[in-house]
Amino acid sequence: MHIGVDVGGTNTDAVLMSGRDVQSFEKRATSDDISGGIREAIGALLTKSQCRPESIRSVMIGTTQFTNAFVQAQTLNRVATIRIGFPAARGIPPLAGWPKALSDAVDGGRHVVRGGFEFTGQPIAALDETAVAECAKGIRASGVTHIAISGVFSQLNASHEERAAEIVRDCMPEADITLSSEVGRIGLLERENAAIMNASLKTLAAHVADAFAQALHALGIDAPFFISQNDGTLMSVAHMHRYPVRTFAAGPTNSLRGAALLAGLSNALVADIGGTTTDIGVLMDGFPRQSSMHVDIGGVRTNFRMPDILSLGLGGGSRVRDIGDPASLAIGPDSVGNRLHRDALVFGGSILTASDIAVAAGNADFGDRSRVDGLPAAAVADAAALITGMIENGIDRMKTSKTAVPLILVGGGAVLVAGDIRGVNEVHRPEGAEVANAVGAAIGQVSGEIDRIYNMESGVRDAMLCEARELAVQQAVAAGAREASVEIVEVEEFPLQYLPGGATRVVCRAVGNLGAFEEASHG
């Protein structure tokens, strides 16, 4: 038996699974202290299923704690940034373009030193080791201990970043260092931003890991636990300590992965309708389609691995305005959120929400239906049609062809949509859809990814792709995957016309089963 948990902003969901079969699930409100909500959800799950804690072999957890903390600029470390790329990369300083609140919370000093590489991996200039040492002395004097180091094209050759880290540690052994080559992709500023974000979350990562461990210990569960990351795969707790930024999109990713399992589909659109937002994504061979564009997190451009997700301001708690006036009728984007059971009409409140429309239209049966009986039928029909239309528009934006595809509806707000939906050939509402995110966490695997530029001009394409595959497999194994189970699930080539020599960006991803999970499952 193993447990999947999703700690969202509104609810904490827990699901008990045997292999890939759902045995039972529970949903509880997320508590202010992370540990309490997890204890309540898993505790209720064990009681309901009459499952003994000692029979649990592993726990997989997805969380939005890091996203929320960063976007709200709370509990972040101050971070000193060392950029290797002077003089070419001095035009735009580190933290340029960040929202002021985030920059003020994170900025622990900015430094630019000579060094960096061309896209071919050849050095632009030798690393200025003396300058790096001087930076380290200044950072130590300032009291900042978290450092982000970035270099021009360091994802192709990380030697300057690695040497700079050695110099910094010689000067300040207490330094906690994030290298941009370990967390970001091509693009200096976006990769540097990802490194700074990661460094700013290191202390919170330790706190969250302790909270997870305390919750499981209090429940008598002595099993390893793992954390969901952005691409739907898992990482160890030690890995989360080093790379908390990789959890940013775990919520919607887990929903897509869970939807695939519950509906038995590997290629489909998925709409996860929650209390505040609807996340629409695309399943490709059972995994979320990854974004090839820069991603904006809290106003900061970055480029680490993220699923291609469209978020709409539509959920069960979305406010409904001007009901009865088709010209000005509006739904969301604001929501009553976790106050739904207090503020919505059907729960005795005074605010008309999308959930009230679903009950009034006969699409859902919860709360006190008599409290919405007075709504005009035509007005309710208009509001219900608007909800469906918002979903249909979102689907059109995510599709890449006119061909109709299957749609899987999951999330607690899936009851908002009824009837046919344009642009899809069938709609699936699988059993357990309300906890698809926790199911997705429970079935996570381990991945490795390579994102590099290769010179394909001299007829070495096959050799370059082979190298990319091998490196991706090595990364997956290093992250904890059992080597025999690793397979390549994605290889993409992007010719770069603006660079000479047949330069081609290659993105290759490998996925395998978590070795520790398999050992635990058979233990």
Side-chain angles (χ1 to χ4, degrees):
M1 293 287 187
H2 57 283
I3 290 176
V5 179
D6 184 87
V7 185
T10 304
N11 293 307
T12 295
D13 302 335
V15 59
L16 178 68
M17 300 191 68
S18 175
R20 297 174 73 84
D21 297 327
V22 176
Q23 302 297 307
S24 184
F25 58 82
E26 279 293 318
K27 183 184 289 284
R28 290 290 187 275
T30 297
S31 60
D32 292 335
D33 70 312
I34 307 166
S35 183
I38 295 176
R39 281 201 308 272
E40 285 192 21
I42 296 181
L45 182 71
L46 295 178
T47 301
K48 178 181 178 182
S49 61
Q50 297 186 329
C51 179
R52 300 190 312 276
E54 57 268 27
S55 65
I56 302 302
R57 300 301 185 187
S58 59
V59 180
M60 288 74 167
I61 302 174
T63 178
T64 60
Q65 295 296 317
F66 299 109
T67 313
N68 297 342
F70 185 79
V71 171
Q72 298 174 52
Q74 295 178 345
T75 62
L76 302 179
N77 300 321
R78 290 178 63 213
V79 179
T81 307
I82 299 177
R83 178 188 295 172
I84 304 169
F86 186 88
R90 64 180 176 178
I92 301 176
L95 297 176
W98 282 49
K100 187 176 185 304
L102 275 171
S103 179
D104 289 348
V106 168
D107 189 6
R110 317 174 197 184
H111 312 269
V112 183
V113 302
R114 188 177 297 275
F117 292 91
E118 303 281 0
F119 84 96
T120 58
Q122 298 301 310
I124 297 173
L127 175 66
D128 188 341
E129 298 190 1
T130 301
V132 174
E134 289 300 317
C135 290
K137 292 177 184 176
I139 294 168
R140 187 173 201 186
S142 72
V144 174
T145 58
H146 292 86
I147 300 172
I149 299 178
S150 62
V152 178
F153 280 118
S154 64
Q155 81 282 4
L156 303 178
N157 189 335
S159 60
H160 281 185
E161 284 192 357
E162 293 166 352
R163 176 57 185 150
E166 290 177 0
I167 296 170
V168 171
R169 288 196 180 94
D170 286 343
C171 179
M172 46 185 304
E174 73 278 17
D176 191 324
I177 300 172
T178 297
L179 303 184
S180 75
S181 55
E182 295 178 345
V183 296
R185 293 177 166 182
I186 291 173
L188 173 63
L189 298 182
E190 292 79 9
R191 179 161 35 82
E192 181 177 80
N193 287 343
I196 298 170
M197 294 163 74
N198 190 73
S200 74
L201 293 164
K202 288 283 192 76
T203 300
L204 179 62
H207 171 71
V208 170
D210 286 345
F212 290 164
Q214 289 171 12
L216 298 181
H217 178 74
L219 291 164
I221 297 176
D222 183 22
F225 67 96
F226 305 93
I227 312 300
S228 298
Q229 49 183 348
N230 299 330
D231 62 357
T233 57
L234 298 169
M235 59 181 170
S236 65
V237 176
H239 218 64
M240 184 190 73
H241 274 282
R242 294 185 62 188
Y243 307 116
V245 77
R246 293 182 178 173
T247 69
F248 267 29
T253 298
N254 284 339
S255 294
L256 265 68
R257 291 272 293 150
L261 176 69
L262 294 172
L265 297 175
S266 297
N267 296 284
L269 283 159
V270 177
D272 178 12
I273 307 177
T276 302
T277 62
T278 294
D279 295 323
I280 300 176
V282 179
L283 277 170
M284 298 176 63
D285 297 326
F287 285 87
R289 183 175 71 194
Q290 297 294 295
S291 173
S292 59
M293 306 292 288
H294 296 144
V295 179
D296 186 299
I297 305 291
V300 178
R301 280 166 59 95
T302 187
N303 61 358
F304 48 76
R305 288 184 298 177
M306 290 281 282
D308 187 9
I309 297 291
L310 173 67
S311 291
L312 307 174
L314 171 65
S318 295
R319 291 173 178 247
V320 179
R321 294 186 174 85
D322 296 329
I323 185 91
D325 181 357
S328 57
L329 174 66
I331 300 177
D334 54 332
S335 166
V336 297
N338 59 8
R339 303 188 307 278
L340 177 66
H341 288 81
R342 185 188 68 189
D343 292 350
L345 292 183
V346 294
F347 293 116
S350 58
I351 298 175
L352 180 62
T353 68
S355 290
D356 295 315
I357 297 300
V359 173
N363 299 332
D365 182 17
F366 49 71
D368 182 357
R369 193 184 189 289
S370 66
R371 291 183 57 83
V372 293
D373 281 344
L375 294 174
V380 170
D382 288 341
L386 178 57
I387 291 171
T388 301
M390 294 171 71
I391 299 293
E392 291 174 340
N393 288 336
I395 289 171
D396 283 344
R397 292 173 61 183
M398 293 301 290
K399 288 176 61 177
T400 56
S401 74
K402 295 181 179 178
T403 306
V405 295
L407 171 68
I408 309 172
L409 281 174
V410 297
V415 295
L416 299 184
V417 182
D420 296 334
I421 298 177
R422 285 187 295 107
V424 301
N425 53 17
E426 53 189 16
V427 179
H428 296 259
R429 304 169 188 270
E431 185 178 356
E434 59 269 45
V435 291
N437 43 16
V439 173
I443 62 172
Q445 294 175 292
V446 180
S447 72
E449 182 183 275
I450 290 298
D451 184 351
R452 290 190 172 186
I453 297 175
Y454 287 99
N455 185 342
M456 302 286 194
E457 190 176 50
S458 55
V460 294
R461 177 176 176 274
D462 290 344
M464 296 296 98
L465 293 179
C466 182
E467 178 185 302
R469 289 189 178 94
E470 290 177 356
L471 291 173
V473 170
Q474 289 175 15
Q475 282 203 5
V477 173
R482 186 171 60 85
E483 186 168 3
S485 68
V486 177
E487 59 180 340
I488 301 295
V489 298
E490 178 183 345
V491 179
E492 292 184 290
E493 299 176 58
F494 305 95
L496 302 177
Q497 305 297 339
Y498 58 89
L499 291 177
T504 301
R505 177 186 174 192
V506 176
V507 179
C508 181
R509 194 156 67 102
V511 172
N513 295 328
L514 189 63
F517 169 64
E518 291 198 341
E519 291 170 8
S521 296
H522 294 93

